[in-house]
Amino acid sequence: MQRLLRAVLACLFAFLCAGCSLGFGKPMTSGGTTGITPEPAMTEGSGWKVAWYRAGDPDAPRILYLHGTPGSASDYEAYLLDPLPGRESVAADRVGFGRSEAGPDKHGALVSFEQQAVELAPLLVERGGAGTLIVGHSLGGPIALRLAADYPDRVAGVVVLAG
């Protein structure tokens, strides 16, 4: 519990120090030299493809950043350029935003919190006995809470900013 509290406080401190980098859908600017995946990885759920970027230690406990509406994973570029030590940082483009894609039988943004949680669930991992810490800003906050409610065994904690 003390480790979780320290991780939450470290994440909150990073937000307070750096501020929120609202890029509203701009592409990541890293040329691959800083450790950010230059192109997003894609996770395919039930007809949707979720784009996500990662930085930091790929074997360490994960922090998952979820943007609001409008927005994209690029809102968290600063946190990927300077990830917390001993953590893997992942920023996802929620379904219908950024580089996430609809399948041939899908279109538009996905409005159901339950379905958004289903599509983001593959990004929840457990490493070193710790689940994923989720940071949700704006509409990403309620989605982070839905993920925690639906997948409690895979979530270490939730930070909601301006939810």
Side-chain angles (χ1 to χ4, degrees):
M1 185 65 172
Q2 194 173 28
R3 283 180 49 185
L4 171 62
L5 180 60
R6 277 188 284 194
V8 169
L9 290 175
C11 190
L12 184 58
F13 180 74
F15 274 91
L16 292 174
C17 290
C20 191
S21 60
L22 297 174
F24 295 117
K26 67 181 172 102
M28 295 285 187
T29 57
S30 170
T33 59
T34 60
I36 296 176
T37 52
E39 289 296 321
M42 300 296 276
T43 302
E44 192 158 352
S46 58
W48 301 89
K49 291 182 183 177
V50 175
W52 52 284
Y53 300 84
R54 77 168 87 195
D57 183 351
D59 297 320
R62 178 177 282 178
I63 301 173
L64 173 61
Y65 297 99
L66 299 177
H67 64 83
T69 301
S72 73
S74 67
D75 294 353
Y76 293 102
E77 183 175 19
Y79 306 106
L80 295 180
L81 289 171
D82 189 18
L84 289 173
R87 300 278 179 223
E88 178 190 40
S89 294
V90 169
D93 283 329
R94 289 185 15 246
V95 174
F97 297 93
R99 293 179 128 181
S100 288
E101 301 173 1
D105 61 337
K106 309 288 183 189
H107 61 284
L110 187 58
V111 296
S112 162
F113 289 179
E114 178 183 14
Q115 191 60 42
Q116 286 200 41
V118 167
E119 301 305 325
L120 292 164
L123 298 177
L124 302 176
V125 298
E126 183 179 332
R127 295 193 186 124
T132 300
L133 175 65
I134 308 170
V135 177
H137 175 255
S138 188
L139 192 60
I143 295 166
L145 292 171
R146 183 63 192 237
L147 275 163
D150 291 351
Y151 305 95
D153 55 325
R154 294 162 55 188
V155 176
V158 177
V159 177
V160 177
L161 301 164

